[in-house]
C-alpha cells in the first residue's frame, strides 16, 4: 500500500477484504513480509492483526546492503476472531461525521 492510503480507513478495509477473500478460498495463512528496518510496515502488520513469526537474517541483498526480512502471519484459525474485530471497527457507527474513528481497531 502506498503513502496515499497509509493509516486510513481505506487501507484497513482493503486489507480486511483481501484477507476475508483469501480465507474464504480456503487458504490457511496470510503472510506479511517487510524489511526489518521498516518500522512503519512492522507497526502496520501488528495493527492489522498479523503476528510476528521470525526474522530471516541476511535474507537478500538490496542495493548492495544485507536485508533482514521480518515475517508476520495470520492463520485461518485466528481469522474468525480478527474478522469480528475488523467488522466492529469498519461499522459505520464507529465513525463520526468527520470520518474520525470512535474506537481503535481491536481484536479482543
Amino acid at each position: 500500500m502506498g503513502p496515499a492510503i497509509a493509516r486510513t480507513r481505506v487501507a484497513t478495509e482493503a486489507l480486511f477484504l483481501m484477507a476475508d477473500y483469501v480465507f474464504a478460498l480456503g487458504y490457511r495463512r496470510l503472510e506479511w513480509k517487510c524489511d526489518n528496518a521498516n518500522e512503519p510496515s512492522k507497526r502496520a502488520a501488528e495493527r492489522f492483526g498479523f503476528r510476528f513469526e521470525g526474522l530471516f537474517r541476511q535474507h537478500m541483498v538490496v542495493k548492495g546492503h544485507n536485508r533482514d526480512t521480518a515475517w508476520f502471519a495470520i492463520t485461518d484459525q485466528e481469522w474468525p476472531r480478527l474478522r469480528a474485530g475488523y467488522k466492529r471497527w469498519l461499522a459505520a457507527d464507529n465513525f463520526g461525521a468527520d470520518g474520525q474513528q470512535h474506537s481503535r481497531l481491536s481484536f479482543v
Side-chain angles (χ1 to χ4, degrees), residues 68-85:
D68 295 339
T69 300
W71 286 58
F72 298 82
I74 296 172
T75 66
D76 58 347
Q77 292 180 349
E78 298 164 334
W79 182 240
R81 177 180 55 83
L82 297 175
R83 186 178 192 280

Side-chain angles (χ1 to χ4, degrees), residues 85-96:
Y86 275 102
K87 296 289 276 182
R88 277 191 307 274
W89 189 83
L90 289 166
D93 63 357
N94 186 43
F95 295 89

Side-chain angles (χ1 to χ4, degrees), residues 5 18 26 43 46 50 65 90 106:
I5 66 166
M18 179 184 66
R43 281 192 305 273
E46 290 174 344
F50 287 81
H65 298 281
L90 289 166
S106 171

Side-chain angles (χ1 to χ4, degrees), residues 29-44:
R29 58 187 287 116
L30 178 62
E31 297 175 350
W32 180 295
K33 299 173 243 181
C34 63
D35 187 330
N36 191 51
N38 186 342
E39 292 298 327
S41 185
K42 293 187 328 186
R43 281 192 305 273

